[in-house]
């Protein structure tokens, strides 16, 4: 990776590196081979070059460490060749010999002269521009160069020379190369990467797609080491044999060599015990006393970590030991574990692996299949859907004599995989179910494929039609089951209609779903009907919604842990949404945090991705932007991993940036989200992406662009039937962007519609935002009166603290334009304090920028103002400027009037010359 934007999971480390280098000293990165030290150096190298620094780099290797002055050659040969007169001639002559630019003539090079020459060279280079020395694998630096660089480093304080180095370091070892860096210097350990970041690395760095199952194995086996992960992934992709959960993972020789010394030190009799540990899920508490000697030898060899947990010192050792065993040795190992272990899940799993389907008779297979199905149910109740998926899959594979039952178990495996976030595995399993004879299972598989489609709805109608036909076939066998299936199909048909803006059709489908849910007597289906109808009822009959939601949520919350269903999660989400739209943020916070805990306890990864979106939204509106940022980043990453299309995950990431990141990064992510959603034909997420883009434009003073994007966002949402202004807070921002762009007539129209809908739905929590928007409109002609009117309705506190801060921000701007500078400063300070307390970094920067504008001509003009000034200086008329920037002529005239006053000029001629004084 060549720049910081491609360096995954290292933001904090890069920040600490920058801080260390900013002090004018050196940074030493330490860690094992492959952990990513060089990638961090690459990022620092790229950043320094972009900032105009001279980067001098040496990449040492053990095989070349005996060659004297090789590192000096890498570092200084080019700058010495390109620039004359940097150092005194006698020192240049010494350096030319060391850098092989002139013959030594048989005379030994004087060591002090070499050291002084390099020191003076660095001082001379730093006098021209900042210098960064990058020393990769500094532990392999040739000793002669190391002595010279250490001498120079101790004498460079006060000069613009920084050192960034990387040293390979084994666990619990101390660095040996700190003396090569100037003071102040710091050592920074490069840690392992979390599993999701490794998964993201595998997707971004490898062209060939990895299944979820392989990715999960590699994340665990790599131990968070990015080099190990990439090597393992490439080996797995090259392998012609699919890698299953329990099959050996191919380990390339380059990785084996890194751990070979530990394995070579093992006595032969210890291998059997280590194979048992490698094959067991929780390897402790069951080994016989006879294994003590083998364990002692393994700890001594550095294969097993000291302590009672029997943990390999690196997860890759487990893969190597398991892969090196023969199939017969592995079967014997699993049979031994099945006898030793008491846990029913582990016992069933090991019995299965000890008795492959092709080596067992039908009776034995049938009994084992039933045992695996029971174990899968236990796994669900323990909150382990991924394990349940594995066990159900094994059960289905051993139920071939009972094809109807095999299809049911295969569908269960797909549903568990979906709950665990293993979307590719779920999709593949559903496809297998569709080829089976069980009509009810085929219905379930098609409906799950609808869920897996995400924002790409192109294939959904065909899936729903086929599912409806299969419910008719299922009705012949079991009318009660047919009613449940029909309710499921109608629910998905209603959901599809709502998502494509067909509200009336969706309500008709939902009524049919309700009828079949009542016929079946299934509580979950009835709860799901309520959950699906609630968003529509919130807009049509808001007074009737809350009692129904509370009753349904009370039923849902009585299902703790793994007993909680998708319908239960959905209804609880609906209640949180309703509370949030009504301004009951405290209750919404309590409810959403409890929901998150319950979903995490149940291990429902797919549901957690959805819930984190709601967690981020609630915390944002509650003015807890740091928490909203964390939930949004995690939720966005999980949606990217679990979703069929990336649009929604990118939107969550962009929204997170507007809470705790930067408006520029938010715009980047939102633009990517818009492209992805447009490609998938996902209108709803297109709208949200446009809304985030518009907000980012508003912060960055790109007012015409903000108005255009926010307007499209609002139009798309209304086209889908989403007219509740509390759903996505776009109206007030759109009015502000239109007003500040000169489109006052359109702004008044939007404001009137928003105020009417707010009154109809009794969304009192939105009144302050709309009052802010009205003040912006009125302020165009009477900033003093607009400020007084807004101040009169400003409450002492507000359920949405960011709305109060935005109102103060607008108030400060109005007071500034009314020339009441003391009042303006007080309001802007108060706004900045609220943004700071919320942790809302982009708006905090915006508030500080507004404060700076109070200081007069030195204040930074907005993007629109800069564009207008540039066009004036090019000789454009007001009408030409308006056409170029897509604003009204009146808006251009008003902006020019403000610029004349602020810059102290009288007319366009003065603006062409620049500000006076």
């Amino acid at each position: 990776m060549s720049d910081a934007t491609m360096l995954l999971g290292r933001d904090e480390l890069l920040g600490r590196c920058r801080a260390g280098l900013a002090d004018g000293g050196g940074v030493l990165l330490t860690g094992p081979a492959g952990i990513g030290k060089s990638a961090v150096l690459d990022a620092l190298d790229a950043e320094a070059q972009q900032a105009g620094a001279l980067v001098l780099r040496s990449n040492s290797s053990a095989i070349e460490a005996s060659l004297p002055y090789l590192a000096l050659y890498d570092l200084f040969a080019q700058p010495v060749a390109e620039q004359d007169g940097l150092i005194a001639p006698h020192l240049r002559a010494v350096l030319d010999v060391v850098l092989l630019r002139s013959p030594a003539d048989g005379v030994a090079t004087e060591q002090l002269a070499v050291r002084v020459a390099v020191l003076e060279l660095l001082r001379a280079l730093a006098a021209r521009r900042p210098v960064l020395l990058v020393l990769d694998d500094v532990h392999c630096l040739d000793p002669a160069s190391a002595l010279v660089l250490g001498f120079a480093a101790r004498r460079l304080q006060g000069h613009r020379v920084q050192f960034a180095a990387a040293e390979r370091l084994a666990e619990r070892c101390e660095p040996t190369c700190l003396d090569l860096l100037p003071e102040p210097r710091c050592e920074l350990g490069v840690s392992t990467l979390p599993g999701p970041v490794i998964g993201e690395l595998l997707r971004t760095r490898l062209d060939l797609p990895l299944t979820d199952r392989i990715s999960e194995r590699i994340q665990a086996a790599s131990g968070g080491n990015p080099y190990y992960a990439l090597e393992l992934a490439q080996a797995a992709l090259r392998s012609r044999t699919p890698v299953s959960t329990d099959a050996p993972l191919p380990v390339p020789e380059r990785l084996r060599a890194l751990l070979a010394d530990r394995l070579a030190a093992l006595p032969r009799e210890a291998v059997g015990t280590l194979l048992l540990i490698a094959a067991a899920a929780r390897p402790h508490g069951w080994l016989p006393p006879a294994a003590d000697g083998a364990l002692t030898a393994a700890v001594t060899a550095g294969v097993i970590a000291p302590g009672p947990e029997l943990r390999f010192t690196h997860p890759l050792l487990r893969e190597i030991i398991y892969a090196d065993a023969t199939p017969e040795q592995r079967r014997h190992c699993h049979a031994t574990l099945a006898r030793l272990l008491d846990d029913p899940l582990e016992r069933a799993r090991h019995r299965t692996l000890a008795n492959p389907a092709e080596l067992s008779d039908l009776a034995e297979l049938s009994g084992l299949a039933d045992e695996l199905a029971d174990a899968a149910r236990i796994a669900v109740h323990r909150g382990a859907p991924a394990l349940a998926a594995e066990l159900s899959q094994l059960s289905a594979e051993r139920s071939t004599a009972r094809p109807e039952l095999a299809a049911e178990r295969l569908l269960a495996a797909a549903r568990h995989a979906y709950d665990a976030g293993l979307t590719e595995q779920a999709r593949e399993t559903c496809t297998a179910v569709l080829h089976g004879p069980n009509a009810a299972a085929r219905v379930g598989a098609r409906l799950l494929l609808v869920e897996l489609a995400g924002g790409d709805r192109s294939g959904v109608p065909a899936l729903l039609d086929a599912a409806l036909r299969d419910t008719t076939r299922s009705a012949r066998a079991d009318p009660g089951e047919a009613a449940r299936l029909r309710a499921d199909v109608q629910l998905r048909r209603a959901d599809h209609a709502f998502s494509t803006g067909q509200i009336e059709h969706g309500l008709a489908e939902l009524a049919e779903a309700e009828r079949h849910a009542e016929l079946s007597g299934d509580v979950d289906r009835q709860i799901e009907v309520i959950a699906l109808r609630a968003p529509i009822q919130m807009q049509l009959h808001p007074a009737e919604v809350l009692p129904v939601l509370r009753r349904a949520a009370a039923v849902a919350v009585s299902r703790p842990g793994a007993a909680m269903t998708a319908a239960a999660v959905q209804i609880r989400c609906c209640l949180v949404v309703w509370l949030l739209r009504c301004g009951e943020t405290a209750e919404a916070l309590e409810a959403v945090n409890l929901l998150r805990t319950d979903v995490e306890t149940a291990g429902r990864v797919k549901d957690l991705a959805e819930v984190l979106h709601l967690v981020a939204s609630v915390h944002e509106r509650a003015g807890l932007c740091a928490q909203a940022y964390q939930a949004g980043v995690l939720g966005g990453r999980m949606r990217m991993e679990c979703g069929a299309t990336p649009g929604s995950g990118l939107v969550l990431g962009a929204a997170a940036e507007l809470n705790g990141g930067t408006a520029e990064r938010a715009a980047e992510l939102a633009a990517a989200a818009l492209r992805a959603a447009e490609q998938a034909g996902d209108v709803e997420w297109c709208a949200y992406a446009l809304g985030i883009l518009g907000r980012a434009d508003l912060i960055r003073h790109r007012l015409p662009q903000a108005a255009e994007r926010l307007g499209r966002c609002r139009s798309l949402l209304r086209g889908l039937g989403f007219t509740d202004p509390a759903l996505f807070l776009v109206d007030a921002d759109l009015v502000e962007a239109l007003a500040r762009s000169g489109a006052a007539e359109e702004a008044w129209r939007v404001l009137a519609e928003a105020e009417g809908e707010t009154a109809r739905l009794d969304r009192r929590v939105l009144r302050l935002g709309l009052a802010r928007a009205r003040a912006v409109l009125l302020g165009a002609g009477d900033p003093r009166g607009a400020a007084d009117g807004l101040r009169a309705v400003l409450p002492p506190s507000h359920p949405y603290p960011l709305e109060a801060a935005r109102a103060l921000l607008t108030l400060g701007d109005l007071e500034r334009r009314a020339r009441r500078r003391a009042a303006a400063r007080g309001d802007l300070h108060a706004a900045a304090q609220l943004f700071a307390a919320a942790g809302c970094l982009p708006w905090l920067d915006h508030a500080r920028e507004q404060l700076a504008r109070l200081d007069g001509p030195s204040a930074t003009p907005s993007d629109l103002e800069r564009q207008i000034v540039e066009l004036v200086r090019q000789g454009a008329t007001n009408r030409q400027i308006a056409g170029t920037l897509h604003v009204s002529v009146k808006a251009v005239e008003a902006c020019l009037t403000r610029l004349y006053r602020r810059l102290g000029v009288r007319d366009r001629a003065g603006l062409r010359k620049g500000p006076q004084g």
Side-chain angles (χ1 to χ4, degrees):
M1 297 174 221
S2 60
D3 60 72
T5 61
M6 292 296 293
L7 196 58
L8 299 173
R10 300 297 189 196
D11 291 346
E12 182 182 355
L13 178 61
L14 278 172
R16 295 172 66 191
C17 289
R18 296 182 191 111
L21 293 174
D23 292 336
V27 170
L28 177 65
L29 300 170
T30 61
I35 201 63
K37 304 181 296 296
S38 298
V40 177
L41 290 182
D42 290 345
L44 296 173
D45 181 327
E47 287 183 359
Q49 291 192 54
Q50 289 170 5
L54 173 64
V55 177
L56 308 174
R57 183 158 185 163
S58 168
N59 298 307
S60 304
S61 67
I63 198 171
E64 298 169 339
S66 61
L67 301 176
Y69 299 126
L70 180 59
L72 296 189
Y73 181 87
D74 291 340
L75 292 167
F76 303 119
Q78 184 173 344
V80 167
E82 292 176 349
Q83 303 179 62
D84 290 324
L86 287 172
I87 55 177
H90 69 287
L91 294 177
R92 172 65 184 261
V94 172
L95 207 53
D96 282 345
V97 172
V98 170
L99 300 180
L100 306 180
R101 292 176 52 81
S102 62
D105 295 329
V107 179
T109 306
E110 211 282 319
Q111 292 299 305
L112 180 59
V114 174
R115 297 177 190 188
V116 171
V118 168
L119 174 62
E120 291 303 316
L121 175 61
L122 283 171
R123 287 173 173 171
L125 292 170
R128 301 187 176 191
R129 57 173 169 157
V131 176
L132 174 66
L133 267 70
V134 178
L135 308 174
D136 201 0
D137 286 329
V138 69
H139 53 283
C140 296
L141 202 67
D142 66 273
S145 296
L147 290 171
V148 173
L149 292 173
F151 174 89
R154 291 188 290 274
R155 293 165 174 81
L156 283 169
Q157 281 192 327
H159 296 273
R160 297 186 298 172
V161 181
Q162 302 166 326
F163 282 57
E167 178 180 359
R168 181 183 298 181
L169 210 58
E171 192 176 351
R172 293 188 296 276
C173 292
E174 295 295 323
T176 60
C177 302
L178 276 171
D179 289 344
L180 294 175
L181 307 183
E183 295 280 2
R185 55 196 177 211
C186 64
E187 177 201 350
L188 299 175
V190 183
S191 61
T192 58
L193 293 172
V197 178
I198 290 291
E200 193 171 343
L201 175 70
L202 297 179
R203 285 192 301 276
T204 55
R205 292 291 299 275
L206 297 175
D207 293 333
L208 293 176
L210 294 171
T211 67
D212 292 321
R213 190 178 301 181
I214 296 174
S215 180
E216 189 178 62
R217 283 285 304 279
I218 290 169
Q219 288 173 36
S222 69
N225 186 303
Y227 171 70
Y228 287 11
L230 290 169
E231 288 289 310
L232 288 168
Q234 288 165 350
L237 291 172
R238 286 193 299 266
S239 175
R240 294 185 178 183
T241 304
V243 180
S244 64
T245 307
D246 291 287
L249 194 65
V251 181
E253 288 301 321
R254 280 183 290 189
L255 294 189
R256 286 174 174 268
L258 295 173
L259 302 169
D261 55 339
R262 305 188 203 183
L263 295 173
L266 285 173
R268 181 174 298 178
E269 58 272 16
V271 174
T273 298
L274 292 177
L275 181 59
L276 288 173
I277 298 172
R282 289 182 295 276
H284 60 88
W286 46 263
L287 283 177
D292 289 348
L295 289 177
T296 300
V299 171
T300 302
V303 174
I304 295 293
E309 294 188 1
L310 302 183
R311 178 178 57 84
F312 285 102
T313 52
H314 194 283
L316 193 56
L317 290 165
R318 174 205 181 270
E319 298 294 342
I320 294 174
I321 289 168
Y322 193 74
D324 287 350
T326 65
E328 184 179 355
Q329 288 172 329
R330 287 196 289 269
R331 287 196 299 272
H332 177 73
C333 166
H334 288 297
T336 301
L337 289 170
R339 292 193 304 271
L340 289 173
L341 297 175
D342 295 327
D343 184 85
L345 272 66
E346 289 301 306
R347 192 169 57 244
R349 175 173 167 271
H350 289 297
R351 273 196 63 204
T352 302
L353 296 171
N355 299 279
E358 65 274 12
L359 300 181
S360 305
D361 58 45
L362 288 179
E364 186 176 21
L365 280 177
S366 179
L368 188 53
D370 293 342
E371 184 179 349
L372 286 164
D374 291 338
R377 284 188 283 273
I378 294 172
V380 171
H381 284 281
R382 290 183 181 178
L387 177 58
E390 176 190 346
L391 294 169
S392 295
Q393 180 86 28
L394 293 171
S395 175
E397 291 169 359
R398 285 152 181 80
S399 304
T400 51
R402 298 172 287 176
E404 294 280 333
L405 185 59
E408 290 178 14
R409 288 171 172 173
L410 206 55
L411 177 59
R415 285 172 171 161
H416 298 322
Y418 177 72
D419 287 340
L422 304 174
T423 53
E424 284 301 318
Q425 183 178 331
R427 190 174 286 110
E428 292 170 7
T429 309
C430 283
T431 303
V433 174
L434 294 181
H435 293 101
N438 190 320
R442 291 198 302 269
V443 172
R446 288 191 170 98
L447 295 183
L448 187 52
L449 286 171
V450 169
E451 294 291 325
L452 287 162
D456 184 359
R457 314 298 291 178
S458 56
V460 169
L463 285 169
L464 292 174
D465 289 344
L468 191 59
R469 289 193 297 271
D470 269 334
T471 60
T472 305
R473 298 185 181 99
S474 178
R476 299 166 191 162
D478 184 350
E481 176 66 14
R484 285 190 290 274
L485 290 174
R486 183 63 183 270
D488 286 339
V489 174
Q490 296 298 152
L491 280 164
R492 299 285 71 79
R493 290 169 71 90
D495 184 50
H496 177 65
F498 291 148
S499 69
T500 53
Q502 304 172 70
I503 303 302
E504 292 301 323
H505 178 58
L507 289 172
E509 295 281 9
L510 197 56
E512 190 69 8
E514 186 173 32
R515 185 172 71 84
H516 286 284
E518 290 173 352
L519 283 173
S520 71
D522 190 288
V523 175
D524 280 334
R525 270 79 175 178
Q526 294 174 42
I527 288 177
E528 194 169 354
V529 167
I530 296 170
L532 203 52
R533 183 179 284 135
I536 308 301
Q537 293 292 89
M538 288 179 191
Q539 298 179 158
L540 299 178
H541 308 290
E544 302 172 8
V545 174
L546 187 57
V548 177
L549 284 180
R550 287 198 186 279
R551 285 197 301 271
V555 174
V557 87
S558 67
R559 300 165 176 260
M564 184 173 53
T565 63
V569 174
Q570 193 175 0
I571 199 69
R572 292 172 66 182
C573 286
C574 286
L575 178 59
V576 171
V577 168
W578 179 255
L579 292 169
L580 194 60
R581 293 189 193 181
C582 294
E584 303 291 341
T585 48
E587 188 178 352
L589 273 172
E590 183 181 357
V592 82
N593 288 333
L594 177 60
L595 175 58
R596 177 179 181 175
T597 300
D598 288 345
V599 170
E600 287 174 336
T601 301
R604 300 177 68 94
V605 176
K606 185 65 174 65
D607 285 334
L608 182 59
E610 306 292 332
V611 169
L612 284 170
H613 179 193
L614 191 54
V615 170
S617 298
V618 173
H619 282 81
E620 176 186 330
R621 294 203 191 181
L624 301 170
C625 295
Q627 295 91 322
Y629 174 79
Q630 293 168 357
V633 168
L634 179 58
R637 183 179 297 152
M638 292 183 71
R639 275 183 177 254
M640 294 279 286
E641 292 172 358
C642 300
T645 56
S648 62
L650 288 167
V651 167
L652 261 65
E657 288 293 325
L658 284 186
N659 278 300
T662 66
E664 290 72 20
R665 181 60 177 157
E668 287 178 24
L669 291 173
L674 181 60
R675 290 191 295 270
E678 287 176 337
Q679 185 175 0
D682 191 336
V683 177
E684 183 177 356
W685 287 99
C686 279
Y688 297 143
L690 284 164
I692 300 298
L693 269 172
R695 289 175 181 173
D697 286 332
L698 199 59
I699 293 174
R700 297 181 298 165
H701 309 286
R702 298 164 58 89
L703 299 174
Q705 294 92 330
E708 188 269 335
R709 286 163 169 168
L710 291 170
R712 286 173 61 196
C713 166
R714 184 174 184 268
S715 296
L716 289 176
L717 290 176
R718 291 172 72 85
L720 290 171
F722 300 159
T723 59
D724 187 344
L727 165 68
F728 189 81
L729 304 183
V730 65
D731 296 283
D733 286 347
L734 174 57
V735 171
E736 179 176 343
L738 288 168
R740 294 186 187 279
S741 300
E745 184 177 347
E746 176 67 8
W748 280 113
R749 184 188 66 78
V750 172
L751 181 61
E753 290 178 357
E755 288 177 336
E757 197 67 7
T758 297
R760 184 183 73 80
L761 296 174
D762 196 26
R763 296 285 188 258
R764 302 176 190 180
V765 73
L766 302 184
R767 291 176 181 172
L768 180 60
L770 296 177
R772 162 174 61 88
R774 178 175 287 274
V776 172
L777 273 167
L778 294 172
D782 180 15
R784 184 179 295 258
D788 292 341
L790 181 55
R791 192 179 301 281
V793 300
L794 193 65
S797 63
H798 194 273
Y800 298 171
L802 294 186
E803 283 298 314
R806 292 285 304 278
L808 284 166
L809 200 60
T810 297
L811 196 53
D813 181 61
L814 292 169
E815 295 287 20
R816 178 186 61 80
R817 289 162 53 199
R819 306 199 178 195
R820 298 190 294 206
R821 300 176 70 84
R825 185 174 297 278
D827 293 329
L828 292 175
H829 269 299
Q833 288 175 341
L834 281 178
F835 286 128
C840 188
L841 302 185
W843 279 108
L844 175 59
D845 291 342
H846 184 87
R848 288 171 174 167
E849 180 185 330
Q850 293 292 91
L851 276 166
R853 292 184 65 186
L854 290 174
D855 296 331
S858 63
T860 303
S862 68
D863 286 349
L864 179 63
E865 291 169 340
R866 281 195 292 269
Q867 292 175 62
I868 288 176
V869 170
E870 183 62 29
L871 289 169
V872 167
R873 288 173 177 169
Q874 292 174 12
T877 66
N878 287 1
R879 187 171 297 279
Q880 289 170 333
I881 294 171
T884 301
L885 299 180
H886 305 290
V887 297
S888 68
V889 175
K890 287 185 177 180
V892 175
E893 292 171 348
C895 188
L896 286 172
T897 300
R898 290 194 300 270
L899 286 168
Y900 297 158
R901 184 168 60 243
R902 190 192 314 160
L903 299 176
V905 300
R906 292 184 177 181
D907 50 24
R908 295 167 66 92
L911 199 59
R912 291 192 190 100
K913 297 176 183 177
Q916 297 175 357

